[in-house]
Short mmCIF file of all heavy atoms in Angstrom, two decimals:
data_model
loop_
_atom_site.label_atom_id
_atom_site.label_comp_id
_atom_site.label_asym_id
_atom_site.label_seq_id
_atom_site.Cartn_x
_atom_site.Cartn_y
_atom_site.Cartn_z
N HIS N 1 82.10 54.06 166.13
CA HIS N 1 81.26 55.12 166.70
C HIS N 1 81.96 55.94 167.77
O HIS N 1 81.60 57.10 168.01
CB HIS N 1 79.98 54.52 167.28
CG HIS N 1 80.19 53.68 168.50
ND1 HIS N 1 80.64 52.37 168.45
CD2 HIS N 1 80.05 53.97 169.82
CE1 HIS N 1 80.74 51.89 169.68
NE2 HIS N 1 80.40 52.83 170.53
N ARG N 2 83.00 55.37 168.40
CA ARG N 2 83.71 56.09 169.45
C ARG N 2 84.40 57.35 168.93
O ARG N 2 84.72 58.26 169.69
CB ARG N 2 84.72 55.16 170.12
CG ARG N 2 84.07 54.10 170.99
CD ARG N 2 85.07 53.09 171.50
NE ARG N 2 85.49 52.16 170.45
CZ ARG N 2 86.27 51.10 170.67
NH1 ARG N 2 86.72 50.86 171.89
NH2 ARG N 2 86.59 50.29 169.67
N LEU N 3 84.63 57.40 167.61
CA LEU N 3 85.25 58.59 167.02
C LEU N 3 84.43 59.84 167.30
O LEU N 3 84.97 60.95 167.38
CB LEU N 3 85.40 58.39 165.50
CG LEU N 3 86.15 59.48 164.76
CD1 LEU N 3 87.66 59.30 164.94
CD2 LEU N 3 85.81 59.47 163.27
N PHE N 4 83.10 59.69 167.45
CA PHE N 4 82.21 60.83 167.62
C PHE N 4 81.65 60.94 169.04
O PHE N 4 80.63 61.62 169.24
CB PHE N 4 81.07 60.75 166.61
CG PHE N 4 81.48 61.10 165.20
CD1 PHE N 4 81.49 60.13 164.20
CD2 PHE N 4 81.86 62.39 164.86
CE1 PHE N 4 81.86 60.45 162.90
CE2 PHE N 4 82.23 62.72 163.56
CZ PHE N 4 82.23 61.75 162.58
N ASP N 5 82.28 60.30 170.02
CA ASP N 5 81.77 60.37 171.38
C ASP N 5 81.63 61.80 171.88
O ASP N 5 80.63 62.16 172.50
CB ASP N 5 82.70 59.59 172.33
CG ASP N 5 82.39 58.10 172.37
OD1 ASP N 5 81.35 57.70 171.80
OD2 ASP N 5 83.18 57.35 172.96
N LYS N 6 82.64 62.64 171.62
CA LYS N 6 82.59 64.03 172.10
C LYS N 6 81.48 64.83 171.43
O LYS N 6 80.91 65.75 172.03
CB LYS N 6 83.94 64.72 171.85
CG LYS N 6 85.10 64.17 172.67
CD LYS N 6 85.00 64.56 174.13
CE LYS N 6 86.27 64.19 174.88
NZ LYS N 6 86.18 64.54 176.32
N GLN N 7 81.17 64.47 170.18
CA GLN N 7 80.09 65.16 169.48
C GLN N 7 78.72 64.74 170.03
O GLN N 7 77.87 65.59 170.29
CB GLN N 7 80.16 64.87 167.97
CG GLN N 7 81.20 65.67 167.23
CD GLN N 7 82.63 65.36 167.65
OE1 GLN N 7 83.06 64.21 167.59
NE2 GLN N 7 83.37 66.37 168.08
N LEU N 8 78.54 63.44 170.24
CA LEU N 8 77.25 62.99 170.75
C LEU N 8 77.03 63.44 172.19
O LEU N 8 75.90 63.77 172.56
CB LEU N 8 77.12 61.47 170.63
CG LEU N 8 76.48 61.00 169.32
CD1 LEU N 8 77.44 61.16 168.15
CD2 LEU N 8 75.99 59.57 169.40
N ASP N 9 78.08 63.47 173.00
CA ASP N 9 77.94 63.92 174.38
C ASP N 9 77.46 65.36 174.44
O ASP N 9 76.61 65.72 175.26
CB ASP N 9 79.27 63.79 175.13
CG ASP N 9 79.63 62.35 175.44
OD1 ASP N 9 78.76 61.48 175.33
OD2 ASP N 9 80.81 62.10 175.78
N ALA N 10 78.00 66.21 173.57
CA ALA N 10 77.66 67.64 173.61
C ALA N 10 76.43 67.97 172.78
O ALA N 10 75.49 68.62 173.25
CB ALA N 10 78.85 68.47 173.13
N LEU N 11 76.40 67.51 171.54
CA LEU N 11 75.33 67.89 170.62
C LEU N 11 74.07 67.06 170.83
O LEU N 11 72.98 67.48 170.45
CB LEU N 11 75.82 67.76 169.18
CG LEU N 11 76.98 68.68 168.82
CD1 LEU N 11 77.54 68.33 167.44
CD2 LEU N 11 76.58 70.13 168.87
N GLY N 12 74.22 65.88 171.45
CA GLY N 12 73.05 65.05 171.71
C GLY N 12 72.08 65.66 172.69
O GLY N 12 70.94 65.20 172.82
N GLN N 13 72.50 66.69 173.40
CA GLN N 13 71.60 67.40 174.31
C GLN N 13 70.73 68.41 173.57
O GLN N 13 69.71 68.86 174.11
CB GLN N 13 72.42 68.11 175.38
CG GLN N 13 73.30 67.18 176.20
CD GLN N 13 74.22 67.93 177.14
OE1 GLN N 13 73.90 69.04 177.58
NE2 GLN N 13 75.37 67.36 177.46
N ARG N 14 71.13 68.76 172.35
CA ARG N 14 70.41 69.78 171.58
C ARG N 14 69.72 69.22 170.35
O ARG N 14 68.72 69.79 169.89
CB ARG N 14 71.39 70.87 171.14
CG ARG N 14 72.08 71.58 172.28
CD ARG N 14 73.12 72.58 171.79
NE ARG N 14 72.56 73.58 170.90
CZ ARG N 14 73.27 74.53 170.30
NH1 ARG N 14 74.58 74.59 170.52
NH2 ARG N 14 72.70 75.40 169.50
N PHE N 15 70.28 68.14 169.80
CA PHE N 15 69.74 67.57 168.57
C PHE N 15 69.60 66.06 168.70
O PHE N 15 70.31 65.44 169.49
CB PHE N 15 70.68 67.87 167.39
CG PHE N 15 71.03 69.32 167.22
CD1 PHE N 15 72.27 69.80 167.64
CD2 PHE N 15 70.13 70.21 166.66
CE1 PHE N 15 72.61 71.13 167.48
CE2 PHE N 15 70.46 71.55 166.50
CZ PHE N 15 71.70 72.02 166.92
N SER N 16 68.70 65.49 167.92
CA SER N 16 68.63 64.03 167.82
C SER N 16 69.82 63.57 166.98
O SER N 16 70.17 64.20 165.98
CB SER N 16 67.32 63.60 167.16
OG SER N 16 66.22 63.92 167.97
N CYS N 17 70.45 62.47 167.40
CA CYS N 17 71.69 62.02 166.75
C CYS N 17 71.64 60.53 166.45
O CYS N 17 71.00 59.75 167.16
CB CYS N 17 72.89 62.29 167.65
SG CYS N 17 73.19 64.04 168.02
N LEU N 18 72.34 60.17 165.39
CA LEU N 18 72.57 58.76 165.04
C LEU N 18 74.03 58.60 164.66
O LEU N 18 74.59 59.45 163.96
CB LEU N 18 71.66 58.32 163.89
CG LEU N 18 71.79 56.86 163.41
CD1 LEU N 18 70.43 56.32 162.95
CD2 LEU N 18 72.82 56.69 162.29
N VAL N 19 74.64 57.51 165.12
CA VAL N 19 76.00 57.17 164.72
C VAL N 19 76.04 55.66 164.50
O VAL N 19 75.34 54.92 165.18
CB VAL N 19 77.03 57.59 165.80
CG1 VAL N 19 76.79 56.86 167.12
CG2 VAL N 19 78.45 57.39 165.32
N TRP N 20 76.84 55.22 163.53
CA TRP N 20 76.92 53.77 163.30
C TRP N 20 78.35 53.28 163.36
O TRP N 20 79.30 54.06 163.33
CB TRP N 20 76.26 53.38 161.98
CG TRP N 20 77.04 53.68 160.70
CD1 TRP N 20 78.25 54.32 160.57
CD2 TRP N 20 76.65 53.33 159.36
NE1 TRP N 20 78.62 54.39 159.25
CE2 TRP N 20 77.68 53.80 158.49
CE3 TRP N 20 75.56 52.67 158.81
CZ2 TRP N 20 77.61 53.62 157.10
CZ3 TRP N 20 75.50 52.50 157.45
CH2 TRP N 20 76.51 52.97 156.60
N ASP N 21 78.46 51.96 163.51
CA ASP N 21 79.68 51.25 163.19
C ASP N 21 79.46 50.71 161.79
O ASP N 21 78.60 49.84 161.58
CB ASP N 21 79.93 50.08 164.16
CG ASP N 21 80.51 50.54 165.49
OD1 ASP N 21 80.81 51.74 165.63
OD2 ASP N 21 80.65 49.69 166.39
N ALA N 22 80.17 51.26 160.82
CA ALA N 22 79.99 50.84 159.43
C ALA N 22 80.27 49.35 159.29
O ALA N 22 80.97 48.75 160.12
CB ALA N 22 80.92 51.64 158.52
N PRO N 23 79.72 48.70 158.28
CA PRO N 23 79.98 47.27 158.06
C PRO N 23 81.48 46.94 158.13
O PRO N 23 82.31 47.62 157.52
CB PRO N 23 79.43 47.04 156.66
CG PRO N 23 78.28 48.00 156.57
CD PRO N 23 78.77 49.23 157.29
N GLY N 24 81.80 45.92 158.91
CA GLY N 24 83.18 45.50 159.08
C GLY N 24 83.94 46.24 160.15
O GLY N 24 85.11 45.95 160.40
N HIS N 25 83.29 47.22 160.79
CA HIS N 25 83.93 48.06 161.80
C HIS N 25 83.31 47.83 163.17
O HIS N 25 82.11 47.59 163.29
CB HIS N 25 83.76 49.54 161.45
CG HIS N 25 84.43 49.97 160.18
ND1 HIS N 25 84.01 49.55 158.94
CD2 HIS N 25 85.50 50.79 159.98
CE1 HIS N 25 84.79 50.11 158.01
NE2 HIS N 25 85.70 50.85 158.61
#
């Protein structure tokens, strides 16, 4: 999920967001 930290930090203020750690990750 850390791959998208910059996206969630910025876009999470405007949109609802979900990110996962895929199985095994």
